[in-house]
Each structure stands twice: as C-alpha cells, then as structure tokens.
Amino acid sequence: LGSQALDPVKFKLEASDDLVSWVTVGSSTWEQLDLKIVMTGRAAETPLERGAVMEMDMRLSWAIVLGQGFAILVFNGSAFLLAILGNLGYHRWATSAFEWGFAVQVLLQLARALSHALSLDLVTNEAAHAFFRLGYGLVWAFALFLLYRTPPVFELSF
C-alpha cells in the first residue's frame, strides 16, 4: 500500500481581500446546518488509489434549500391569507388558513428532525441539530395547539 498514511487528508482554505484578515472559505470536511455551511476541518475520507479524483461539492443540498424555502413560503402564504381573508370578513377561513400554515410547519420541522436523526454522524454535532429541530417542531406544535384551543388569545394578539 505504500505511502498512503503520509497523504494529506486534512486542510483549510482561507481567503483575504486585504492580505491581513483571513476567512476560512473551504475545508477538508464540512457540515450543512440549515442554510449555512460550517467548516469542520476534520480528516477527509480520501480514495486510496493513486491519481484518483476526489470531488468536493459544498453547495447546499436541494433538500435543505427546498425544505427551508418551502417552510418560509408556506408560513408567509398562510399569514398573507390571514390578512386578506380577515380583511374581507372571512374570519373563520382566515383562522383555518393560519392553522394549516402552523400544521405544515410542525410537520416540516419534525420531518427535518427525523431526517437529521436518521443520518446521525456521531463525530459531528448532528445529534444536537436533530434535538434542536425536534424542539423547534414541538414549539410549533404547542403554538398550533394554542391557536386551535384558545382562539380568543390569538385574536387578542392580532
């Protein structure tokens, strides 16, 4: 097998606009947390064959972008419907639209927590992120419960 043990597998790429302050823009390993890329700088899993090409794609996964974008779109859409329908006098329809917006948020956040939990990498902080998503989903669920069970409280807040 030769000298594979001596091959570099860990690196950090930095950039600067003024050659004084440097910012990390790349790394041998990274994590995607919501819409943010976090450089972890651990040893990368490199191919053992000599001359093998290793592609590193740090673009955000389509699942994260779609999940985050869809969550924002649904919630903003339900808030828009709340305002329009409420202004037109359709208060029950407005409340239902907002409740559905909350319900979709609950499902999206719990699905994201489950997806993080199923792809746990114990070396990274994925477990913490999965628990964060679970807690976030439960907060949305509690807000939905309050919205559904105590409409006068939410009517006062609007």
Side-chain angles (χ1 to χ4, degrees), residues 65-82 94 96-109 140:
V65 173
L66 184 62
Q68 188 77 12
F70 186 67
I72 292 169
L73 182 67
V74 166
F75 187 71
N76 287 345
S78 68
F80 179 75
L81 283 174
L82 173 73
S96 292
F98 205 54
E99 287 171 353
W100 276 103
F102 269 79
V104 170
Q105 288 298 318
V106 170
L107 294 176
L108 285 173
Q109 299 306 329
W140 278 98

Side-chain angles (χ1 to χ4, degrees), residues 4-80:
Q4 283 95 341
L6 301 175
D7 289 352
V9 293
K10 189 174 169 181
F11 69 87
K12 180 169 68 169
L13 179 64
E14 295 182 330
S16 175
D17 289 331
D18 57 7
L19 299 178
V20 175
S21 60
W22 294 83
V23 177
T24 302
V25 294
S27 168
S28 51
T29 55
W30 63 90
E31 293 178 30
Q32 296 180 3
L33 301 176
D34 286 333
L35 297 177
K36 184 177 180 182
I37 300 280
V38 177
M39 307 301 161
T40 56
R42 292 186 311 273
E45 294 180 18
T46 57
L48 293 178
E49 308 88 45
R50 289 293 176 211
V53 175
M54 181 178 162
E55 292 186 23
M56 302 178 87
D57 186 0
M58 291 177 45
R59 291 179 292 182
L60 290 171
S61 74
W62 65 269
I64 288 177
V65 173
L66 184 62
Q68 188 77 12
F70 186 67
I72 292 169
L73 182 67
V74 166
F75 187 71
N76 287 345
S78 68
F80 179 75

